Amino acid sequence: TVTPDGKSVPYVERQELVSLGGAQNQLIAQRTYGLKYDYWMDTLDGESLYHEQGQWWWLPSKKVVARAVVGPRGHLVVAGSRWVGGDIEISANHSDVAGLGV
């Protein structure tokens, strides 16, 4: 990463992933599977540069992958996309996916 005065600072990244397992939504008969994550960027001497928390959700009946991110200042982003195999493209503008989009 680069400081405001243009100095390059080496850093390390680490992630912690925790399975949230499956959950049955009784209101709309839908099964979901979740993965909670924490992501950190620190300088080599341990100074925190960035921390992000979030969750990935898989809704197999709809073939939807969704991501909810809570940033360091409390910002929330929810993005999702339909999955039909292959690569997954995540966007915050999917009006065709109920509950997702801006």
Side-chain angles (χ1 to χ4, degrees), residues 44-87:
L44 298 180
D45 52 352
E47 180 186 344
S48 179
L49 297 173
Y50 182 76
H51 178 216
E52 176 181 299
Q53 296 176 303
Q55 298 175 348
W56 284 97
W57 288 95
W58 167 239
L59 293 76
S61 66
K62 303 273 186 191
K63 293 188 166 101
V64 168
V65 176
R67 179 180 182 194
V69 178
V70 179
R73 292 170 187 84
H75 298 104
L76 175 65
V77 176
V78 176
S81 185
R82 295 199 186 281
W83 183 74
V84 293
D87 293 340

Side-chain angles (χ1 to χ4, degrees), residues 29-41:
Q30 180 182 69
R31 185 122 180 109
T32 61
Y33 299 88
L35 180 68
K36 176 184 172 245
Y37 72 89
D38 278 276
Y39 170 76
W40 295 269
M41 289 175 57

